[in-house]
Amino acid sequence: MSIRFIESEQRFVLETRQTTYQIKIDKTGCLRHVYYGKRVGDTDMDYLYRTTDRGFSGNPYEFQDDRTCSFDTMPQEYPTFGVGDYRVSALRCLAKNGSRSTDLRYASYEIREGKYKLEGLPYVRGGDEKVETLFIRLKDSVTGIAVDLMYGVFEEKDVITRSACIRNESQETVILQKAASMCLDIPYGADDLISFNGRHCMERQPFRQRLGQNIVTVGSKRGMSSHHNNPFVILCDAETTEDSGESRGVMLMYSGSHKEEIEKDQAGTVRLVAGIQDEGFSWILDPGDIFWTPEAILSFSFDGLNGLSANYHRIIRENVCDPMFRNKRRPVLLNSWEASYFSFNEKTIYELAVQAKDLGADMLVLDDGWFGSRDSDNSGLGDWTVNEQKLKGGLTALSDKVHDLGLQFGLWIEPEMVNENSDLYRMHPDWALSDPGRKPNVARNQLVLDMSREDVREYLFSCINALLKESRIEYLKWDFNRSPANIYSHLLPPEKQGEVMHRFVLGVYSLLARIREAYPEVLIEGCAGGGGRFDAGMLFYTPQIWCSDNTDPIARLFIQEGTSYGYPACTVGSHVSASPNHQTGRTTPLSTRGIVASSGILGYELNPASLSDAEKGEIRAQIETYKKYEHLIREGTYYRLKENHSGAETVCWAFVSPEKDEALVNLVSVNVAAKTPFPHIKLKGLREDAVYMIDRTGLRTTGAALMYGGCSFDIPEGDYPCTQLHLTEIPG
Ligand code: DGJ
């Protein structure tokens, strides 16, 4: 049993392979957090909780004689607003009489085999492995609000999922003003916060900061998980490095506006509350209504940040992404966007397909510009029928011709958007989010459709259904190119406008779920101007995501490395593009572009007609190599490696097979210098006593030698050179 209730101590023990999580029902009936850390079994960790009378930290009425008893100093599982815990709260409700206080006390519990699901929201799938769920019900006897806290324990994977389900069991309407998914109180050992911040074309850059006695907020108000602040944070010890020390992660499985608040309080306890962004949010909970909060994925590692990443990679690969694509090699594609942008016709696209085939790719993807009046990014969104002036003969004929070449065919769509200059907008202006009497904010000249509306979703399903029915399409690129504003639905009454942003996200999920159900074999690649919605919520429906609009391999080194803290390489769409690069103007060798793009799901995004024969030959070899090592990239353990010796600036990473009998090591130098020492790296994750051979050098030596002594690299001369080593175990 990975979940136990120790009745005599009113204590829950949740156990994974390496961790123990303990919760206690306090004498006040409050659900107190006791411990999350290295496995300690049933040992009561409550001794760690020291109480004292801290001034200005009041006491629950029934314990007024015990001034050491305070919600304000107690580590809690789901703190509420208004009753004496002055730290960040997880739940804020407005009762009909105007009261904003909620006081949740323990009511009951249940332990079940298997993993709970969430209604209308993505969740970590249970699969075949051993998973148990703990439900703990809390209730406020005054407002009648009940909260079911849910814990999914993935024992083998060192992961605990959390979510809260809020029910109105009273006779009166209650308004939710904040409904977070979880709270984690950490009395000791969370010195640093790492968040993943950035911007369009430079997503998920790790930012590590020392916590002080204040509140740090990470989050997005953009209606999308955002390029700017990913819904994934890590709390770790000051000493934690890539390879040693404790770290715990919290990843919200949500694609809309989110908020992670990290507060260090007067006693040094660190509280982390994560959930839906509460700014602009409110939700009317009528009697009998239920509100489901998105799931949070928690993991703990004692093997540094690389260990934590490995935990997240595994759970995302095996339990978040659709099992249908888990062990499937993804197609190497040639995408038309950077090859021709909006200027193409059926002949040029067919020519691209011929070239793609010649290079050894598996699929041709027709990106933006194929529909409606879409000759630029100013018009056409919403009109999802082919522009026959551009593509004579239509999509079906084109797709058939591409298939005749022996290639698959993929198509770009951006369903959630509309241009004012489109038939759809002319017919249904009220389908766009916009405030009454106010000109809407525009971005890329487009507006956002009101995905909370069923008629909008129905229209979009019928368009996508027609496309997939009429033409042979094996892949959709699902784009989203602006942050929503003017969050107002013309269908909902005034008092429900605070629900629109979350209803929008639920609408997107339900449309995606419907398409997945109708066309399970169609692979959808998520995209939001690159990686603006790179989150576990989208990955539930779209097992790969276009990682960034920045295809410069040197920028990508850092974007992909930042992404790797939470997300596995098998989710990262990554393309070789032209040099000089279209986003940065930087010139890089084709080999480096190939190695960087091959560390995700490889694709190409250039016009092969502009390449020399030698370059085409190199690309053929790249694709062949990629296909040879693809299993390692998809399923191997990923390691961020550090080169500390030569003074040359390098980025280095490796994939090691689950059996540890094979590894692929990549190194890119980002700054040339003359006559530097050989870059030297200690490899990770090999078997000490196994003997490996390095393909490039022919060196045969043990895993112990390569991990503790390391190996040195030859770097070719010139700008941004790279090296790739492949290691295989020599059977002993
Ligand atoms: C943004 C995407 O990230 C690009 O790859 C491309 O599909 C454009 N949108 C098309 O408008």
Side-chain angles (χ1 to χ4, degrees), residues 43 114 276 411 538 582:
T43 311
I276 294 174
L411 194 66
M538 286 307 283
H582 291 192

Side-chain angles (χ1 to χ4, degrees), residues 337 342 367-368 374 412 444 477 479 481 527 529-530 546 549 605:
W337 181 241
F342 290 106
D367 209 279
D368 197 353
R374 189 74 170 168
W412 179 96
R444 213 190 187 203
K477 178 174 171 189
D479 211 342
N481 279 306
C527 175
W546 180 228
D549 271 351
E605 189 153 337

Side-chain angles (χ1 to χ4, degrees), residues 505-526:
V505 180
L506 294 177
V508 176
Y509 289 152
S510 88
L511 179 61
L512 279 162
R514 191 168 168 199
I515 294 165
R516 292 286 314 119
E517 202 182 321
Y519 299 95
E521 68 293 342
V522 173
L523 171 65
I524 308 180
E525 175 155 353

Side-chain angles (χ1 to χ4, degrees), residues 554-697:
I554 304 309
R556 271 286 183 136
L557 280 175
F558 299 101
I559 297 168
Q560 291 179 192
E561 184 174 272
T563 304
S564 79
Y565 281 87
Y567 306 95
C570 67
T571 62
V572 173
S574 192
H575 298 173
V576 171
S577 60
S579 180
N581 177 267
H582 291 192
Q583 290 78 42
T584 62
R586 187 168 9 215
T587 302
T588 52
L590 183 52
S591 51
T592 301
R593 282 177 273 152
I595 276 186
V596 175
S598 295
S599 293
I601 300 160
L602 176 64
Y604 288 80
E605 189 153 337
L606 42 69
N607 188 352
S610 61
L611 299 174
S612 67
D613 285 346
E615 286 171 316
K616 286 185 191 172
E618 194 175 338
I619 288 182
R620 278 184 212 107
Q622 273 174 5
I623 295 179
E624 258 174 48
T625 309
Y626 177 72
K627 289 185 174 171
K628 199 158 87 193
Y629 299 145
E630 192 265 349
H631 62 285
L632 271 174
I633 298 159
R634 177 163 32 88
E635 287 168 12
T637 307
Y638 176 94
Y639 291 93
R640 291 175 294 274
L641 303 173
K642 283 276 165 281
E643 198 284 318
N644 288 320
H645 168 71
S646 69
E649 286 172 47
T650 59
V651 177
C652 188
W653 68 102
F655 300 93
V656 179
S657 69
E659 300 75 26
K660 302 186 179 201
D661 57 354
E662 203 186 348
L664 192 66
V665 186
N666 302 291
L667 181 136
V668 175
S669 165
V670 297
N671 198 0
V672 276
K675 301 203 187 299
T676 57
F678 294 112
H680 172 266
I681 296 217
K682 291 181 176 171
L683 302 187
K684 311 263 177 231
L686 304 176
R687 259 205 328 273
E688 285 183 356
D689 55 354
V691 176
Y692 297 88
M693 187 177 88
I694 300 182
D695 61 346
R696 192 175 285 274
T697 61

Side-chain angles (χ1 to χ4, degrees), residues 176-307:
L176 296 181
Q177 296 182 322
K178 181 179 186 184
S181 299
M182 48 103 27
C183 167
L184 185 63
D185 277 349
I186 308 163
Y188 303 97
D191 306 307
D192 289 359
L193 166 71
I194 307 176
S195 55
F196 298 89
N197 315 331
R199 56 185 187 274
H200 179 222
C201 286
M202 203 64 204
E203 297 89 340
R204 291 171 294 285
Q205 296 307 290
F207 174 62
R208 184 167 179 161
Q209 59 185 296
R210 183 66 31 95
L211 292 170
Q213 192 187 327
N214 49 26
I215 303 171
V216 180
T217 304
V218 177
S220 157
K221 294 185 251 175
R222 296 172 170 272
M224 56 200 292
S225 49
S226 87
H227 306 82
H228 308 75
N229 287 104
N230 196 262
F232 175 48
V233 291
I234 297 173
L235 288 168
C236 61
D237 294 351
E239 303 77 35
T240 298
T241 66
E242 286 290 3
D243 300 304
S244 68
E246 295 191 355
S247 59
R248 46 189 92 51
V250 172
M251 178 182 282
L252 198 66
M253 211 169 165
Y254 190 58
S255 313
S257 300
H258 58 95
K259 191 172 183 183
E260 295 75 38
E261 292 162 285
I262 299 93
E263 175 171 7
K264 189 166 188 170
D265 71 6
Q266 56 181 330
T269 298
V270 173
R271 168 170 290 180
L272 193 165
V273 171
I276 294 174
Q277 170 66 249
D278 58 334
E279 190 170 328
F281 167 87
S282 64
W283 194 278
I284 294 184
L285 218 53
D286 284 324
D289 280 0
I290 298 176
F291 183 82
W292 298 83
T293 65
E295 187 153 87
I297 310 172
L298 279 65
S299 189
F300 207 119
S301 159
F302 310 94
D303 307 316
L305 300 170
N306 267 319

Side-chain angles (χ1 to χ4, degrees), residues 54-227:
R54 292 191 188 278
F56 295 84
S57 292
N59 322 106
Y61 192 81
E62 60 272 44
F63 295 97
Q64 55 189 282
D65 294 334
D66 179 1
R67 294 192 183 184
T68 68
C69 175
S70 173
F71 293 153
D72 195 32
T73 55
M74 189 184 272
Q76 298 197 49
E77 283 295 305
Y78 200 69
T80 52
F81 178 84
V83 288
D85 184 342
Y86 299 96
R87 296 167 292 177
V88 169
S89 60
L91 182 71
R92 197 168 63 243
C93 302
L94 177 63
K96 196 148 184 225
N97 61 10
S99 163
R100 285 169 297 141
S101 300
T102 307
D103 189 350
L104 293 173
R105 306 290 176 106
Y106 172 78
S108 61
Y109 83 93
E110 197 187 331
I111 298 170
R112 276 196 218 149
E113 261 184 41
K115 170 69 189 1
Y116 63 89
K117 290 183 181 169
L118 301 175
E119 221 173 274
L121 284 161
Y123 54 88
V124 181
R125 303 166 209 261
D128 302 330
E129 69 206 90
K130 184 171 172 259
V131 189
E132 284 181 2
T133 294
L134 169 65
F135 296 89
I136 305 181
R137 172 157 293 201
L138 307 172
K139 189 150 183 186
D140 182 345
S141 58
V142 175
T143 61
I145 285 293
V147 176
D148 287 335
L149 297 183
M150 295 175 278
Y151 301 79
V153 180
F154 290 75
E155 191 173 334
E156 266 314 297
K157 294 201 167 103
D158 279 322
V159 162
I160 296 176
T161 61
R162 287 195 54 182
S163 178
C165 167
I166 301 156
R167 298 163 190 272
N168 184 352
E169 296 187 337
S170 78
Q171 300 306 314
E172 286 181 340
T173 296
V174 171
I175 299 173
L176 296 181
Q177 296 182 322
K178 181 179 186 184
S181 299
M182 48 103 27
C183 167
L184 185 63
D185 277 349
I186 308 163
Y188 303 97
D191 306 307
D192 289 359
L193 166 71
I194 307 176
S195 55
F196 298 89
N197 315 331
R199 56 185 187 274
H200 179 222
C201 286
M202 203 64 204
E203 297 89 340
R204 291 171 294 285
Q205 296 307 290
F207 174 62
R208 184 167 179 161
Q209 59 185 296
R210 183 66 31 95
L211 292 170
Q213 192 187 327
N214 49 26
I215 303 171
V216 180
T217 304
V218 177
S220 157
K221 294 185 251 175
R222 296 172 170 272
M224 56 200 292
S225 49
S226 87
H227 306 82

